Coordinates of all heavy atoms in Angstrom, one line a residue:
M127 N 95.0 -26.3 193.3 CA 95.4 -27.7 193.2 C 94.9 -28.4 191.9 O 95.6 -29.2 191.4 CB 94.9 -28.5 194.5 CG 95.6 -28.1 195.7 SD 97.4 -28.3 195.7 CE 97.5 -30.1 195.7
A128 N 93.8 -28.0 191.4 CA 93.3 -28.5 190.2 C 94.3 -28.2 189.0 O 94.5 -29.1 188.2 CB 91.9 -28.0 189.8
A129 N 94.8 -27.0 189.1 CA 95.8 -26.6 188.1 C 97.1 -27.5 188.2 O 97.8 -27.7 187.2 CB 96.1 -25.1 188.2
Q130 N 97.4 -27.9 189.4 CA 98.6 -28.7 189.7 C 98.4 -30.2 189.3 O 99.4 -31.0 189.2 CB 99.0 -28.6 191.1 CG 99.4 -27.3 191.6 CD 100.8 -26.9 191.1 OE1 101.7 -27.8 191.1 NE2 101.0 -25.7 190.7
F131 N 97.1 -30.7 189.2 CA 96.9 -32.1 189.1 C 97.6 -32.9 188.0 O 98.0 -34.0 188.2 CB 95.4 -32.4 189.2 CG 95.2 -33.7 190.1 CD1 95.3 -33.6 191.4 CD2 95.0 -34.9 189.5 CE1 95.2 -34.7 192.2 CE2 94.8 -36.0 190.2 CZ 94.9 -36.0 191.6
P132 N 97.7 -32.3 186.8 CA 98.4 -33.1 185.8 C 99.9 -33.4 186.2 O 100.4 -34.5 186.0 CB 98.4 -32.1 184.6 CG 97.1 -31.3 184.7 CD 97.0 -31.1 186.2
Q133 N 100.5 -32.4 186.8 CA 101.9 -32.6 187.3 C 101.9 -33.6 188.5 O 102.8 -34.5 188.6 CB 102.6 -31.3 187.7 CG 104.0 -31.5 188.2 CD 104.7 -30.2 188.5 OE1 104.3 -29.1 188.1 NE2 105.9 -30.3 189.1
I134 N 100.9 -33.5 189.4 CA 100.8 -34.5 190.5 C 100.7 -35.9 190.0 O 101.4 -36.8 190.4 CB 99.6 -34.1 191.4 CG1 99.8 -32.8 192.1 CG2 99.3 -35.3 192.4 CD1 98.6 -32.3 192.8
Q135 N 99.8 -36.1 189.0 CA 99.6 -37.4 188.4 C 100.9 -37.9 187.8 O 101.3 -39.1 187.9 CB 98.5 -37.5 187.5 CG 97.1 -37.3 188.2 CD 96.0 -37.3 187.2 OE1 96.0 -36.6 186.2 NE2 95.0 -38.1 187.4
S136 N 101.5 -37.1 187.0 CA 102.8 -37.5 186.3 C 103.9 -37.9 187.3 O 104.5 -38.9 187.2 CB 103.3 -36.3 185.5 OG 104.5 -36.6 184.9
E137 N 104.0 -37.1 188.4 CA 105.0 -37.4 189.4 C 104.7 -38.7 190.1 O 105.6 -39.5 190.4 CB 105.1 -36.2 190.5 CG 105.7 -35.0 189.9 CD 105.8 -33.9 191.0 OE1 105.6 -34.2 192.2 OE2 106.0 -32.7 190.6
A138 N 103.4 -38.9 190.5 CA 103.0 -40.1 191.2 C 103.3 -41.3 190.3 O 103.7 -42.4 190.9 CB 101.6 -40.0 191.6
L139 N 103.0 -41.3 189.1 CA 103.2 -42.4 188.2 C 104.7 -42.7 187.9 O 105.1 -43.8 187.8 CB 102.5 -42.2 186.9 CG 100.9 -42.3 187.0 CD1 100.3 -41.9 185.7 CD2 100.5 -43.7 187.4
S140 N 105.5 -41.6 187.7 CA 106.9 -41.8 187.4 C 107.8 -42.0 188.6 O 108.9 -42.5 188.4 CB 107.4 -40.6 186.6 OG 107.5 -39.4 187.4
G141 N 107.3 -41.5 189.7 CA 108.2 -41.6 190.9 C 109.2 -40.5 190.9 O 110.1 -40.5 191.8
R142 N 109.2 -39.6 190.0 CA 110.2 -38.5 189.9 C 109.4 -37.2 190.1 O 108.2 -37.1 189.8 CB 110.8 -38.5 188.5 CG 111.8 -39.6 188.3 CD 112.4 -39.5 187.0 NE 111.2 -39.5 186.0 CZ 111.3 -40.0 184.8 NH1 112.4 -40.4 184.3 NH2 110.2 -40.0 184.0
H143 N 110.1 -36.2 190.6 CA 109.5 -34.9 190.7 C 110.5 -33.8 190.3 O 111.7 -34.0 190.3 CB 109.0 -34.7 192.1 CG 110.0 -35.0 193.2 ND1 110.8 -34.0 193.6 CD2 110.2 -36.1 193.9 CE1 111.6 -34.5 194.6 NE2 111.3 -35.8 194.8
S144 N 109.9 -32.7 190.0 CA 110.7 -31.5 189.6 C 110.7 -30.5 190.7 O 110.1 -30.5 191.7 CB 110.2 -31.0 188.3 OG 108.8 -30.7 188.4

Side-chain angles (χ1 to χ4, degrees):
M127 290 302 290
Q130 294 285 321
F131 216 75
Q133 184 174 346
I134 291 168
Q135 288 179 311
S136 175
E137 288 179 14
L139 290 172
S140 72
R142 291 178 301 208
H143 53 86
S144 51

